[in-house]
Amino acid sequence: MKSDLPDRTFAFAERIVRLCRHLESEGVVSGTLMKQVLRAGTAIGSHIEEAQASESRKDFVHKYSLALKEARESHYWLRLLIAAEVVSAARLDPLKQEANELIAILTSICKKSRD
């Protein structure tokens, strides 16, 4: 069965880019946070794409582990944007939920692949 994870992480990255386009004009603090969430949120999918061409099981697990770290970091930045009232919770809750789901999926894949 083909995984939808590459498409799902690409869609997440696209949503992050759209969020960051909004944050660009919001000021220095928003701009600094925007760079962080943009880097982390778009890196998840790039690591998944790299894993599709992994050279070994160890390489695959490494790439997925990096994607997991970026997903956790993305979740952190999204929480901070909400807590600092830079962006409303209503706007970011769907992205935060998707980050949570990606974390769960990637954690499961990493654990199963290490066994």
Side-chain angles (χ1 to χ4, degrees), residues 7-18:
D7 291 336
R8 193 166 172 176
T9 56
F10 185 87
F12 182 80
E14 182 181 5
R15 291 168 64 193
I16 291 290
V17 169
R18 291 180 192 282

Side-chain angles (χ1 to χ4, degrees), residues 56-108:
S56 66
R57 184 182 194 107
K58 184 177 177 181
D59 187 35
F60 176 87
V61 171
H62 176 68
K63 300 286 194 260
Y64 267 74
S65 295
L66 291 174
L68 174 58
K69 287 180 181 183
E70 298 295 352
R72 294 185 69 80
E73 185 178 343
S74 297
H75 186 262
Y76 171 84
W77 293 120
L78 292 169
R79 285 180 34 230
L80 183 59
L81 287 168
I82 293 167
E85 299 177 350
V86 176
V87 182
S88 72
R91 180 165 183 175
L92 289 188
D93 277 346
L95 265 176
K96 198 174 78 162
Q97 178 61 35
E98 179 66 359
N100 269 333
E101 291 177 19
L102 291 173
I103 290 166
I105 292 166
L106 292 166
T107 297
S108 176

Side-chain angles (χ1 to χ4, degrees), residues 43-56:
I44 303 165
S46 68
H47 290 301
I48 297 299
E49 286 295 326
E50 287 180 35
Q52 304 309 307
S54 57
E55 297 172 2
S56 66

